[in-house]
Amino acid sequence: MISKQTGILLLALALLCGCGGKGPQRPSQRKGEKPREDTTQLALMEMTLRMAEAADQAVGQAVQAQEEPFALYEAHAWIHISDPGRTDEPALQPGKSYPVHMRVYTLEGKLLEDNQGTYTIGKNQLPHAVDRNLREMHPGAKMRMYAPWYTAFGQQGTEHVPPFENVIIDLEIQE
């Protein structure tokens, strides 16, 4: 049995490769007609949109099953702040580095990654949903985030996070 991610990748490859016949031709255009659209590109865009909608639905269902209140923040991330941190200090600033402890889980709760490091906000060192929403946090803050694959680790994934994986991310901005 193949995994969901493998199936999606096989479908994408099949769409790109076709049946091995003559490759796609440029859209023809008669004088006075609008150019015809590239149907392969449109099909891939439509497939990606459907996958993103399915991810949003799966993440939304996982959030609804939680007892804690979650709010939808930027980058389609659902967040519960368990500790706001030192709110007497300014929020984290883009371009500055902060020590962060990040644990990544599947929606089913399996631990995929446990990282501690110093990251610079706005330098694409963290998943987009994390990077974007850390700007709202203060030193010492703790939060849990539910993020769809397209704002988390994307279609490439990482060494420990598979491609197209919707995730739960526990974050702690360390002192």
Side-chain angles (χ1 to χ4, degrees):
M1 182 166 195
I2 62 173
S3 70
K4 176 176 87 174
Q5 289 85 12
T6 304
I8 291 169
L9 290 173
L10 288 173
L11 177 61
L13 284 173
L15 284 172
L16 289 172
C17 296
C19 61
K22 189 173 168 184
Q25 296 178 358
R26 294 184 56 120
S28 63
Q29 179 182 357
R30 292 189 179 133
K31 189 172 183 178
E33 283 185 1
K34 289 175 40 178
R36 295 185 189 154
E37 298 181 28
D38 182 350
T39 56
T40 303
Q41 184 179 9
L42 289 174
L44 288 171
M45 288 174 22
E46 179 67 29
M47 182 177 69
T48 301
L49 286 173
R50 287 183 184 165
M51 289 170 52
E53 287 172 0
D56 286 337
Q57 200 170 44
V59 169
Q61 288 173 350
V63 167
Q64 286 178 353
Q66 303 308 304
E67 293 179 17
E68 300 91 3
F70 281 80
L72 185 59
Y73 278 64
E74 289 189 43
H76 295 263
W78 289 90
I79 296 176
H80 169 74
I81 300 172
S82 57
D83 183 349
R86 296 190 310 272
T87 55
D88 56 325
E89 293 186 27
L92 306 184
Q93 301 293 311
K96 292 192 176 181
S97 298
Y98 300 93
V100 176
H101 186 190
M102 179 174 69
R103 284 180 222 79
V104 181
Y105 303 88
T106 64
L107 291 184
E108 293 77 31
K110 177 185 172 194
L111 180 66
L112 298 172
E113 200 167 88
D114 189 343
N115 291 332
Q116 282 187 256
T118 301
Y119 300 98
T120 304
I121 303 213
K123 295 291 183 184
N124 297 324
Q125 297 173 339
L126 294 163
H128 177 69
V130 173
D131 191 57
R132 184 65 200 105
N133 290 301
L134 276 181
R135 300 167 196 205
E136 310 283 331
M137 302 298 129
H138 296 271
K142 294 178 184 177
M143 68 177 170
R144 173 164 271 197
M145 173 186 298
Y146 282 72
W149 64 268
Y150 61 91
T151 64
F153 296 93
Q155 56 189 339
Q156 275 76 38
T158 69
E159 180 181 347
H160 303 287
V161 180
F164 301 103
E165 187 72 42
N166 302 319
V167 294
I168 302 167
I169 302 172
D170 285 339
L171 290 165
E172 180 179 349
I173 302 8
Q174 298 177 323
E175 313 271 337

